Amino acid sequence: MLFTLGDQSYDLGTFEYYFLKNSERPSADSAQIKIEEYLDLYINFRLKVLEAKNRNMDQDPAFIEELEGYKSQLAEPYLTATQYNDSLVMEAYERKKFEVSAAHILLRVDENALPADTLQVYNRLLDIKSEIEDGLDFSIAAKKYSQDPSARMNSGNLGYFSSLQMVYPFENAAYDNPVGSLVGPIKTRFGYHLLKVIDKRPARGQIKVAHIMIRNQSDSLAEEVKKKIFSIYENLQSGADWNEQCKIYSEDKSSAPKGGELNWFGTGALVPEFENVAFALENKGDYSEPVQTRFGWHIIKLIDKKPLPPLEEIRQELEARIKRDSRSKESKKEVLATLKKSQDFTLDSAVYKQAMAGIDSTIKFAKWTYDSTSTLLDQSIFSLKGGTYSVEDFYKFVVEAQRSRSNADLADYKNQLYERFESQSIMDAELAYLEQNNQDFKLILDEYESGILLFNLMEEEVWQKALEDTTGLSAFFEQNQSNYQANEMLEVRKLSAQDSLTLVKASQNLDLSNSQLDSLFNSQEALALQVDDLKVEKGEIAFLDTNWELGNHYQKEGNFYTLWVVKEVLPTRPLALNEVRGLAISDYQSHLEKLWVASLKEIYPYELNKKVLKRFVKTFD
């Protein structure tokens, strides 16, 4: 026992788990300080969770439902069929070495459709396939027949893709068949597909680029936009600095301040027009001619390229994506098969048949119920090491789980519900075993349980209270007014040009609006003058820091001239609550939390076992 809060004790092992998870392992010299610092945080954390449990928040149905949802996810690493998962990871990685270009035709059909409806769609797609094999162009067939809305625009062409970018059955068909193949029908959750394999190529890896972008405007301004991007391109060709051009002209505001740099990306991440031009650049620093996408015009500069990383570098990423992918269903089947063996699963086939026969077609309309006096209810459908599962257990599950499926095949729908009941029962039994016998799982589960309780209690006791207590917030704000001050600012108009004479002429027309100046100076030369209105704090722009006064201030920077028209100096002033409400509420929440934690310490007295703590500190020597 490391410490107690009231009559509740807390062990060293759990504290050590939280400490090492949330802090770097300390050196011998820093261990005492770091452990004591974290211990204060941990005690406050446990105080809140203890209070939540004493309020019976862990008995709330919504809490129980949320925790149960997390349990199954947390248990996956302990239940997964490791060998099978490794094969899926290896398959995905090997496929990532290549990219496939394909086109498809989709005919939609509901996953739970009646066999007759499914067969009708299947046969219709076979007819379309025959038309293509007899000479109908695939792209024409896609426009004519495909129920994928994008087919009208792309003729069914999906471009290049790699593993984990398409649903698994579709990916398999694309990778497992040679170029030129017409494959299908292929069943996915969307319906049936015909697939044409157009091309395969080695993966291009990932690329990092920067871009200068001018956004699309109305049709009437399309030529002006094009003229502007080509003028920027001419500047670059003439030796203009990339970062300077990007900072002044690029309309991608998120990337312009950092030279237009974008995050690393690979095939399928951005629009093909952009990707193809980017990957065609060969040497670092090379830039493209202007290229148009649906977003606007771009000039793209290559910063770096890298091939597919080694498997071990991206294994965790692949595992996480596989868990979210449709192929994870196959992994779950392997898990269930393994658990059935370990739990001595035994099915009574005769009882199973009787139980299934007792469910009639009203289930398709979510109106099925059962006879509570039936002698069948006590019969066991299957057994596990931990006990037996009766027909009544199954029927109760069905009553809760049934949903309206009027177009579904009755036998298929009943079978789906039984499989869900069986797998859930097996998983629940394994979870119960893990909770009792696996210390690592118990610690992770405690972390999630405590985290949910802490969030719910903080929402009730601090966060929501701060939002609703407008009187208390106003009083707190007034008491701490000195913390909410607007810094001195300049209200400026910024005019930039490469030609100093243009700037002189512009300075003689400052009574014109920005749009009027644009029309006056940029009608002949697209980049003659740039005009912006800004509010600037001290420290943001070094030139203005030294010219902090009303008037016109000229600056030459690189190949550009700038006129800063300081229209007003806005002095330091107290901010009103409505100007900083978000910040004030956050500060008020922190204030309420401190008061509340102090009150909890009065309710649950704290006592530390100093000997245990001392021995723990020495383990870092």
Side-chain angles (χ1 to χ4, degrees), residues 426-443:
I426 293 169
M427 287 296 186
D428 287 347
E430 191 66 19
L431 279 172
Y433 176 83
L434 282 171
E435 287 184 59
Q436 293 173 11
N437 299 284
N438 190 298
Q439 184 62 24
D440 289 342
F441 182 71
K442 287 167 71 175
L443 287 169

Side-chain angles (χ1 to χ4, degrees), residues 430-463:
E430 191 66 19
L431 279 172
Y433 176 83
L434 282 171
E435 287 184 59
Q436 293 173 11
N437 299 284
N438 190 298
Q439 184 62 24
D440 289 342
F441 182 71
K442 287 167 71 175
L443 287 169
I444 292 173
L445 191 59
D446 172 77
E447 184 179 356
Y448 272 76
E449 177 187 35
S450 299
I452 299 168
L453 287 172
L454 178 62
F455 178 89
N456 292 343
L457 184 60
M458 289 288 288
E459 177 75 15
E460 179 181 302
E461 192 66 33
V462 176
W463 300 328

Side-chain angles (χ1 to χ4, degrees), residues 177-446:
N177 290 281
V179 172
S181 299
L182 180 63
V183 188
I186 305 157
K187 181 72 168 71
T188 74
R189 68 175 185 267
F190 302 108
Y192 282 105
H193 308 252
L194 278 183
L195 170 69
K196 181 180 180 182
V197 183
I198 298 171
D199 188 29
K200 294 184 180 181
R201 69 185 182 195
R204 299 191 292 188
Q206 288 196 309
I207 191 170
K208 189 174 183 63
V209 302
H211 76 145
I212 296 172
M213 175 185 183
I214 304 299
R215 296 188 182 278
N216 283 332
Q217 302 290 337
S218 62
D219 291 343
S220 61
L221 296 174
E223 279 303 313
E224 290 184 27
V225 170
K226 184 177 179 180
K227 184 178 178 182
K228 188 171 184 179
I229 194 72
F230 274 90
S231 296
I232 297 169
Y233 179 71
E234 289 171 9
N235 289 346
L236 293 170
Q237 292 283 83
S238 300
D241 179 73
W242 173 276
N243 288 342
E244 183 181 66
Q245 296 290 303
C246 184
K247 182 179 178 181
I248 293 173
Y249 299 122
S250 182
E251 294 176 1
D252 179 357
K253 298 303 181 184
S254 62
S255 69
K258 51 184 181 180
E261 282 194 20
L262 303 176
N263 294 328
W264 287 93
F265 64 89
T267 295
L270 302 178
V271 290
E273 302 92 337
F274 190 99
E275 285 184 3
N276 291 335
V277 171
F279 276 103
L281 297 170
E282 295 182 359
N283 303 307
K284 294 179 183 180
D286 287 354
Y287 56 86
S288 71
E289 293 184 1
V291 56
Q292 189 175 24
T293 72
R294 66 174 182 266
F295 303 107
W297 285 88
H298 314 256
I299 302 171
I300 306 167
K301 183 176 77 168
L302 176 61
I303 297 174
D304 202 2
K305 289 181 181 180
K306 62 183 179 184
L308 179 69
L311 173 59
E312 291 311 311
E313 283 187 22
I314 60 172
R315 176 180 288 276
Q316 287 187 334
E317 176 192 343
L318 291 177
E319 288 175 346
R321 293 181 65 184
I322 284 170
K323 285 179 183 177
R324 299 192 299 268
D325 187 70
S326 58
R327 70 197 72 194
S328 65
K329 291 181 180 178
E330 300 302 317
S331 179
K332 288 175 182 176
K333 289 179 184 177
E334 292 288 320
V335 171
L336 282 171
T338 302
L339 292 179
K340 280 185 175 183
K341 290 179 182 179
S342 67
Q343 294 187 28
D344 295 337
F345 172 85
T346 305
L347 176 71
D348 189 319
S349 299
V351 175
Y352 165 77
K353 288 179 182 177
Q354 292 180 64
M356 296 297 277
I359 303 175
D360 60 34
S361 61
T362 57
I363 195 172
K364 293 172 59 174
F365 306 95
K367 294 180 179 180
W368 179 80
T369 186
Y370 61 92
D371 179 3
S372 61
T373 65
S374 171
T375 56
L376 180 63
L377 298 180
D378 292 331
Q379 297 291 315
S380 171
I381 294 186
F382 63 84
S383 62
L384 303 172
K385 279 181 180 179
T388 60
Y389 295 80
S390 68
V391 173
E392 185 169 22
D393 293 330
F394 173 47
Y395 281 180
K396 284 181 178 177
F397 173 85
V398 171
V399 168
E400 291 293 324
Q402 64 182 330
R403 299 290 184 270
S404 182
R405 297 286 187 272
S406 57
N407 294 323
D409 178 71
L410 177 60
D412 284 347
Y413 186 39
K414 291 196 296 184
N415 191 55
Q416 287 176 25
L417 288 171
Y418 172 75
E419 287 180 353
R420 282 174 57 192
F421 170 71
E422 186 183 90
S423 63
Q424 183 175 309
S425 299
I426 293 169
M427 287 296 186
D428 287 347
E430 191 66 19
L431 279 172
Y433 176 83
L434 282 171
E435 287 184 59
Q436 293 173 11
N437 299 284
N438 190 298
Q439 184 62 24
D440 289 342
F441 182 71
K442 287 167 71 175
L443 287 169
I444 292 173
L445 191 59
D446 172 77

Side-chain angles (χ1 to χ4, degrees), residues 536-548 555 564:
V536 181
E537 288 189 12
K538 275 204 171 179
E540 284 188 53
I541 299 174
F543 176 79
L544 289 179
D545 287 348
T546 58
N547 293 275
W548 203 262
Q555 177 190 15
W564 300 92

Side-chain angles (χ1 to χ4, degrees), residues 395-535:
Y395 281 180
K396 284 181 178 177
F397 173 85
V398 171
V399 168
E400 291 293 324
Q402 64 182 330
R403 299 290 184 270
S404 182
R405 297 286 187 272
S406 57
N407 294 323
D409 178 71
L410 177 60
D412 284 347
Y413 186 39
K414 291 196 296 184
N415 191 55
Q416 287 176 25
L417 288 171
Y418 172 75
E419 287 180 353
R420 282 174 57 192
F421 170 71
E422 186 183 90
S423 63
Q424 183 175 309
S425 299
I426 293 169
M427 287 296 186
D428 287 347
E430 191 66 19
L431 279 172
Y433 176 83
L434 282 171
E435 287 184 59
Q436 293 173 11
N437 299 284
N438 190 298
Q439 184 62 24
D440 289 342
F441 182 71
K442 287 167 71 175
L443 287 169
I444 292 173
L445 191 59
D446 172 77
E447 184 179 356
Y448 272 76
E449 177 187 35
S450 299
I452 299 168
L453 287 172
L454 178 62
F455 178 89
N456 292 343
L457 184 60
M458 289 288 288
E459 177 75 15
E460 179 181 302
E461 192 66 33
V462 176
W463 300 328
Q464 196 60 34
K465 187 176 289 186
L467 292 173
E468 294 172 352
D469 182 13
T470 54
T471 302
L473 174 63
S474 297
F476 173 82
F477 180 78
E478 290 176 9
Q479 291 165 10
N480 296 276
Q481 178 70 73
S482 60
N483 295 330
Y484 307 103
Q485 300 286 319
N487 295 326
E488 189 174 85
M489 301 179 71
L490 296 182
E491 191 173 300
V492 299
R493 195 179 192 189
K494 178 186 177 184
L495 297 86
S496 299
Q498 284 187 291
D499 182 2
S500 60
L501 291 177
T502 299
L503 209 57
V504 170
K505 292 178 181 177
S507 69
Q508 297 167 354
N509 292 274
L510 293 177
D511 56 321
L512 299 179
S513 68
N514 291 356
S515 60
Q516 288 171 328
L517 286 172
D518 183 70
S519 298
L520 179 62
F521 288 92
N522 295 328
S523 57
Q524 299 300 316
E525 187 179 343
L527 306 178
L529 182 70
Q530 300 294 304
V531 188
D532 290 299
D533 290 314
L534 307 170
K535 284 187 177 179

